[in-house]
Amino acid sequence: MKNLKSGKKIVVHLLLILGSFLMVFPFVWMVLTALKTNTEAIAVPPTFFAEVPQWVNFTKIFTELNFGQFYLNTFISTAVITVGQVFFCSMAAYAFARLEFPFKNALFIILLSVLMVPGQIFLIPQYIIVQKLGLLDSIPALFLPGLFSAFGTFLLRQFFLTIPKEIEEAAIIDGCSRIKIFFTIIVPLSRSALISLSIFSLLYGWNSLLWPLIINTSTEKMTLSAGLASLSGQHSTDYPLMMAGSFLAVIPLIILFLIFQKQFIEGIALSGSKS
């Protein structure tokens, strides 16, 4: 019996090691490619290690591209998207979860219908709206369409419904307004759900490619993903330079995960159980 249990543990650990390797290998390959010359990067059969590590690729990315500006633009748009989604989605979710108003259920069904169609469908209407506002090729154009999320509203509404109504009823008896109840009771009790939404909003804002690529054309207004995509040429691509830029682009997310990994895991686990 003990041998059977030990055998199962070995198999489980081998599967976990294999899964971990498959997850980590693309990142390792990215770093190894960043240290190669372009000839080594496109060699067939592929080479794992560079003959002479090209550390210059990590500085060359700042001279070849306006990489520092890409970083700044990405930080700004991601921060505004994250704050905007947490603020607007939480208020909309509270209204759908607790308030009574005409056509509430119909409006919520319309909101859910947004989740059932590809996001690319909204690119043209969003582009026209931004154009009419005179914000084409600008920093606000990067984050305006991402300030609200149907998914974020649905996620928070589902969580708000689990909060006992008796707490709010007691607060109303004590003379609290709906706004005060929302900010002093609902928001503190929904910390884990708000962290979940923050994680998804942050990842969405940081990794967004299609919208920044369409809405902004000047290099001064590009984000990291759009700027790195510009390295892919029609006839040739500098893969080591692209991998060096990609490595530098993911460093902030890795640091955030190492600092807040407990909140990341709790938030993602919560989103899976509540939605």
Side-chain angles (χ1 to χ4, degrees), residues 184-229:
T184 60
I185 297 176
I186 301 299
V187 170
L189 290 176
S190 308
R191 180 173 172 270
S192 54
L194 294 174
I195 289 173
S196 286
L197 180 58
S198 299
I199 292 169
F200 288 114
S201 301
L202 188 148
L203 293 176
Y204 163 78
W206 192 268
N207 296 324
S208 180
L209 171 62
L210 188 57
W211 177 252
L213 207 57
I214 291 172
I215 202 66
N216 288 349
T217 54
S218 61
T219 55
E220 294 80 11
K221 304 297 190 305
M222 284 186 177
T223 58
L224 285 168
S225 54
L228 290 172

Side-chain angles (χ1 to χ4, degrees), residues 97-98 100 104 160-172 178:
R98 288 291 191 262
E100 294 298 331
K104 183 178 81 168
F160 291 164
L161 289 174
T162 65
I163 299 175
K165 287 185 177 181
E166 291 77 11
I167 299 176
E168 295 174 68
E169 290 171 355
I172 291 173
R178 283 291 183 181

Side-chain angles (χ1 to χ4, degrees), residues 3-4 6 10-11 16 22 57 90 92 100 104 107 130 157 163-164 210 221 230 259 263 275:
N3 291 335
L4 183 60
S6 299
I10 292 172
V11 172
L16 289 174
L22 293 175
N57 287 332
S90 61
E100 294 298 331
K104 183 178 81 168
L107 289 172
V130 171
R157 175 189 176 272
I163 299 175
L210 188 57
K221 304 297 190 305
S230 67
I259 295 173
Q263 288 81 358
S275 62

Side-chain angles (χ1 to χ4, degrees), residues 101-167:
F101 52 89
F103 309 111
K104 183 178 81 168
N105 293 331
L107 289 172
F108 187 66
I109 291 172
I110 293 172
L111 180 74
L112 290 181
S113 68
V114 175
L115 300 175
M116 301 175 189
V117 295
Q120 292 80 359
I121 289 178
F122 304 108
L123 286 177
I124 294 177
Q126 289 172 348
Y127 185 92
I128 293 173
I129 291 171
V130 171
Q131 183 185 43
K132 294 293 185 182
L133 292 173
L135 295 174
L136 285 179
D137 202 24
S138 66
I139 299 300
L142 294 172
F143 56 76
L144 279 177
L147 290 178
F148 181 79
S149 155
F151 168 76
T153 304
F154 173 71
L155 176 68
L156 294 180
R157 175 189 176 272
Q158 297 305 102
F159 185 86
F160 291 164
L161 289 174
T162 65
I163 299 175
K165 287 185 177 181
E166 291 77 11
I167 299 176

Side-chain angles (χ1 to χ4, degrees), residues 41-69:
I42 61 176
V44 179
T47 58
F48 282 91
F49 301 100
E51 289 187 12
V52 179
Q54 303 295 312
W55 298 102
V56 69
N57 287 332
F58 290 98
T59 55
K60 188 179 178 184
I61 190 72
F62 286 93
T63 56
E64 294 282 328
L65 294 175
N66 197 356
F67 206 70
Q69 189 63 46

Side-chain angles (χ1 to χ4, degrees), residues 238-256:
D238 194 334
Y239 290 105
L241 201 63
M242 183 182 289
M243 293 300 104
S246 300
F247 173 74
L248 294 175
V250 301
I251 284 178
L253 295 182
I254 293 173
I255 293 173
L256 281 174

